[in-house]
Amino acid sequence: MSGPARTARLGVLALAMINVASIVSARNLPVMAEYGWSMLALFALSIAVFLVPISMAAAELGTAFPREGGVYAWVKEAFGGRTGFLAVWCDYAENVAWFPTVLSFIAASLAYAIDPSLATDKTWLVVVMLVFFWGTTAAALAGVRASALIGGVGTVAGSILPALLVVGLGAAFLMRGETSQIPFSAGALVPDVHLDDLAFLGGVILLFTGMEMAGFHARDTRDPGRTVPRAIAVAVAVTVSFSVLGSLFMAFVLPRDEISLVSGTMELFASVLHTFSADWLLAPLALVVAIGGIAHLTPWILGPATGVAVVAREGLAPARLGRTNRNHVPVVLLVAQGVAGSVFALLFVVVPSVSTSYWMLSAVTAQVIVTMYALVFASVIRLRYTRPEVLRPYRIPGGLPGVWLVGGVGLLGCLASFLLGFVPPSQLATGNTAVYVLLLATAGMVLCLPPFVVAFLARRRDRAALAGVPAG
């Protein structure tokens, strides 16, 4: 339904939980745990240059332009349909690199239910990843209702429960009197300023992607001007608490050189459960975490593909991309996504280590998604000039200087994250630096290229039509 016929039902807590479910995950905690106490300063920096700006931008855009499509609608309003297509395509394309990171987490977690040594076995990881990837793709073909049902389970089992367990078990570990792996000192709070030691900071954006989700649902609330910003504030508080505490407790328990980006969460569970002589809990816990990860993955397989299908139906992308089955699922986009995601999953076979593969995929994901976020920040600035008459129930405070400050800081944060993604982290074996950079650059360009190709071909057809000649 649309327009007045819609019934607003989402309150502050319900809207906040949409964001929390999209963001909070124990899967991301090992990235920042690598930094020990200095993660606190890096978290503060990331919150200031990305999380707060994107929350404010999403609140303004979501309440001013409460339309279906979210990011696509906002960017289209500011820069036109083709740029909006680029934004939603980046959301679709970054998932191709993101899916293998989630799938590797699922495979590594499942290994702890069978044999923990399998968590670093590349053959095991790739086979399990491909099986579950195509299995969840098949489930998505059944339609949005099936995906939503599976995803509802994933919200609790795949995201919130593991995050709570990381914090709870880590706290129990310390209360037992065990020694922290990162003794506190004032100097430990200061991050190492060497460039290669800040490389992981480029990936911290992945801990906070999804904060714009509340803005997507602005028109489903009774009072967007009050509900959306409050919901975002609650989601920010919950997300920051889980991210900081979870990463910190993981650093307390696991030695830095033993933290795996893929299986770090299960390593923490294994270590703490062994301390409490409760090793028998590890296998069922691993199974629950793996099942929850699968459930959490399923809605993301369908969501962005559906957004691109809308663009195709509006004529801004090839019509075949918008073709759906009887369940209204864009089959072509899901199959293409499955094939591309499978190719990226094979990176786990050719890269030196499992953690390195995970990081490279995370870096590519971050570099593609910041393109979308940069367009959002640019849109919130531009629309203050091109659509000043539009009622904004929530406005970034400070007038034009305020929106320039928020949008400008966000754009700088996106640029820094993008550039840092090309820096090989000193904590991982990445091989030849030139090859590492070339691989990331190539992957990023390939993922972002289709909208530019579509625009080029469209302009070519338009010129040919004006000249009265075939566009062949």
Side-chain angles (χ1 to χ4, degrees), residues 380-382 384-385 396 399-411:
V380 77
I381 295 173
R382 179 174 172 78
R384 280 290 188 97
Y385 290 91
I396 295 173
L400 289 177
V403 79
W404 269 102
L405 176 62
V406 170
V409 168
L411 285 168

Side-chain angles (χ1 to χ4, degrees), residues 246-257:
S247 299
L248 202 55
F249 280 122
M250 184 171 290
F252 288 156
V253 175
L254 300 176
R256 174 178 173 178
D257 57 357

Side-chain angles (χ1 to χ4, degrees), residues 28-50:
N28 293 321
L29 302 181
V31 173
M32 293 307 288
E34 293 273 357
Y35 286 107
W37 283 107
S38 65
M39 77 174 73
L40 298 180
L42 298 179
F43 265 124
L45 178 62
S46 302
I47 291 166
V49 303
F50 179 74

Side-chain angles (χ1 to χ4, degrees), residues 238-275:
V238 173
T239 300
V240 169
S241 298
F242 274 122
S243 298
V244 174
L245 292 176
S247 299
L248 202 55
F249 280 122
M250 184 171 290
F252 288 156
V253 175
L254 300 176
R256 174 178 173 178
D257 57 357
E258 295 181 13
I259 297 176
S260 167
L261 297 186
V262 177
S263 57
T265 302
M266 291 309 304
E267 289 171 358
L268 182 145
F269 291 155
S271 178
V272 176
L273 290 175
H274 180 72
T275 300

Side-chain angles (χ1 to χ4, degrees), residues 147-158:
S147 292
L149 178 62
I150 299 173
V153 177
T155 298
V156 177

Side-chain angles (χ1 to χ4, degrees), residues 108-139:
S109 299
L110 188 61
Y112 276 80
I114 303 171
D115 178 3
S117 66
L118 291 173
T120 56
D121 186 305
K122 294 180 180 180
T123 302
W124 162 268
L125 289 175
V126 171
V127 170
V128 173
M129 287 164 64
L130 292 178
V131 168
F132 282 116
F133 189 28
W134 284 101
T136 49
T137 297

Side-chain angles (χ1 to χ4, degrees), residues 61 65 74 77-78 379 381-388 392:
L61 292 171
F65 305 96
W74 304 340
E77 191 71 38
S379 296
I381 295 173
R382 179 174 172 78
L383 287 170
R384 280 290 188 97
Y385 290 91
T386 60
R387 300 296 304 276
R392 290 164 169 79

